[in-house]
Amino acid sequence: MRSPSSARPSSGLGGPAGVGGDDDFAFYYSFFQDAAAAASPLALDEAVAAMPNNRRRKRGGDEPAAAPNKDGPDGRKRSIAKIITSLATLEAEGHADSAGAADASRRELALLESNADNKSQAMMEYYAKMEGSFDADADSEAAARSKRSRLSASAAAAAVVAGEEAATNATASASPPRAGHHQRRLWVKDRSQAWWDRCNSADFPEAEFRHAFRMGRETFDMICEALGSAVAKEDTMLRAAIPVRQRVAVCIWRLATGEPLRLVSKRFGLGISTCHKLVLEVCGAIKSVLMPRFLQWPDEAAAGSFKDGFERSFGVPGVIGAMYTTHIPIIAPKISVAAYFNRRHTERNQKTSYSITLQGVVGPDRAFTDVCIGWPGSMPDDQVLEKSMLHQRAAAGMMHDACLVGGASYPLMDWVLVPYTHQNLTWTQHAFNEKVGDIRNVAVEAFARLKTRWACLQKRTEVKLQDLPVVLGACCVLHNICEMRREELEPEAPFPLEDDPTRPENPVRSETAKQERDSIAHNLLHRGFSGTTFF
């Protein structure tokens, strides 16, 4: 007889491996088949007793097994069938109980999770309410502190104002306040304006004023009147606005002397940043207000006057201006450093030099009629000319059938007259070069006077690269105003121009211009206009 433990391999739950399906009935059938084959009621009882307890369990508890039928083989089979049916019923009930317990466990777990979620939600709501309460308390406390500080500051300011008013009333008879002056309500650094007050007084000598500002008092007053609406500021409750005359004086003094801003600040009794701001504002106003009046391309009537003036002085017909390009030294920029590197100045001075170009056209009165500012110092003069507005004006036919005189760094074109540059020149060509050089010297002299009058152009400036065109344009406009009003320079040596000439890649760009140049040179020699220094 086989034991139940050896009939089938056991599972991890303590019972046969196939419990719950058709394998259970096969197991019981084979088990009791062996018991019946023993042909002994005692053996059957022993087999039933050897079965696991969970196989003998019934609905109402453990009951004694039914006595075997001793009448014969059929009785024994019926007994076995009943036992099998009872055991199958017990097994089904066991599975039902297990499923019910699992469902109850799942329901209990879901209930616990729901309770935990409700508790968490309640805790979060409570925390949010507490945090909002804390924030409201903090805001109210900060508002109270701010209010207390404002009250304290107001009280302190009132005390200071009261003290100043008392002191002012005490000294009113000794020194009456200036007209339009407002008492300062806030503390500012006490700076002396004695120098400017002395210069601005009517008793200041005219010669000293001209030496300081490179122009007479009348010219200075004219500039202040023209720029009044553009640079004037309104007074505030905190302090009085800087007067227009002082604003213009700060800018002109800075351009005329090239002094550092810290020295300009001490001289005028203003802050360093205030002086820098004033210089840029006034220069911008000069460029926008005065440049259209004092620096403009000649119209047809003015062009005819310029032609007559140059022909009377130098004998060359059809010239309306002399052209020259100079370099303004700058501090090495942060971007495109190689473009602003001036190789020619560096090689000559043995010192690294960076610059921007200033191209100008000058009339017979040494006043500028056109300027082109800001191209990098590494560009040759002919490339600067091609990129300038002057080249576009000539291409549009606005030269009034006239030409400009330039040096050897420019190419020969229909509207540009330059000297001969080849070797073995004839007497006629030498004489022509001398006359063209005299006309070109008008532009050279104008640029020398420009740099002599405005010393800020002689050395590297503190102005940023993007602001330099405005400052240089203002210098050219002020130069024109001084030249038109016959403002003489101090009797000092003019600033020497050190602009190394360049050679264009294509020096002759028009055959017609070449023939016209030969004709002009021939007429100069035979009409007696050629110079005598060569002969």
Side-chain angles (χ1 to χ4, degrees), residues 135-151:
D135 292 341
D137 294 341
D139 293 340
S140 62
E141 185 178 356
R145 286 198 303 268
S146 177
K147 185 176 181 180
R148 289 194 297 270
S149 63
R150 287 197 300 270
L151 291 175

Side-chain angles (χ1 to χ4, degrees), residues 215 223 252 255 286 454 474-483:
M215 62 183 66
I223 295 175
I252 294 181
L255 300 180
I286 291 174
W454 311 117
C475 291
C476 295
V477 174
L478 294 175
H479 167 84
N480 281 7
I481 294 175
C482 293
E483 293 295 331

Side-chain angles (χ1 to χ4, degrees), residues 109-307:
L109 180 60
L111 181 60
L112 291 175
E113 292 179 351
S114 177
N115 292 337
D117 293 340
N118 293 335
K119 291 180 180 180
S120 300
Q121 183 66 23
M123 289 297 293
M124 292 298 294
E125 292 177 357
Y126 177 76
Y127 175 75
K129 291 180 180 179
M130 292 296 294
E131 187 177 12
S133 177
F134 290 152
D135 292 341
D137 294 341
D139 293 340
S140 62
E141 185 178 356
R145 286 198 303 268
S146 177
K147 185 176 181 180
R148 289 194 297 270
S149 63
R150 287 197 300 270
L151 291 175
S152 301
S154 300
V160 172
V161 171
E164 289 182 354
E165 289 179 354
T168 303
N169 294 331
T171 59
S173 58
S175 57
R178 292 178 297 176
H181 178 69
H182 293 265
Q183 291 293 331
R184 291 175 175 174
R185 301 296 182 88
L186 294 180
W187 180 90
V188 293
K189 185 177 180 179
D190 188 14
R191 295 184 174 92
S192 175
Q193 298 185 8
W195 182 86
W196 164 243
D197 292 338
R198 186 167 59 89
C199 290
N200 195 33
S201 65
D203 299 334
F204 192 70
E206 179 70 17
E208 295 185 16
F209 189 94
R210 188 182 303 274
H211 176 75
F213 296 100
R214 304 297 193 268
M215 62 183 66
R217 197 183 302 274
E218 293 183 1
T219 303
F220 181 82
D221 293 341
M222 184 273 295
I223 295 175
C224 292
E225 183 180 357
L227 299 179
S229 59
V231 302
K233 303 295 182 181
E234 296 182 356
D235 296 342
T236 64
M237 294 298 296
L238 300 179
R239 65 187 67 182
I242 302 173
V244 173
R245 291 180 60 85
Q246 189 174 2
R247 291 173 177 268
V248 176
V250 169
C251 178
I252 294 181
W253 176 268
R254 166 79 166 136
L255 300 180
T257 62
E259 281 188 349
L261 290 173
R262 56 183 178 83
L263 298 181
V264 178
S265 171
K266 293 180 180 180
R267 188 175 296 275
F268 286 90
L270 301 173
I272 295 177
S273 60
T274 302
C275 292
H276 179 67
K277 184 178 179 181
L278 289 178
V279 170
L280 296 182
E281 287 182 355
V282 176
C283 286
I286 291 174
K287 184 178 180 181
S288 59
V289 177
L290 298 181
M291 181 175 284
R293 294 173 52 187
F294 295 98
L295 199 160
Q296 56 183 349
W297 187 251
D299 55 11
E300 187 173 358
S305 176
F306 287 177
K307 291 178 184 178

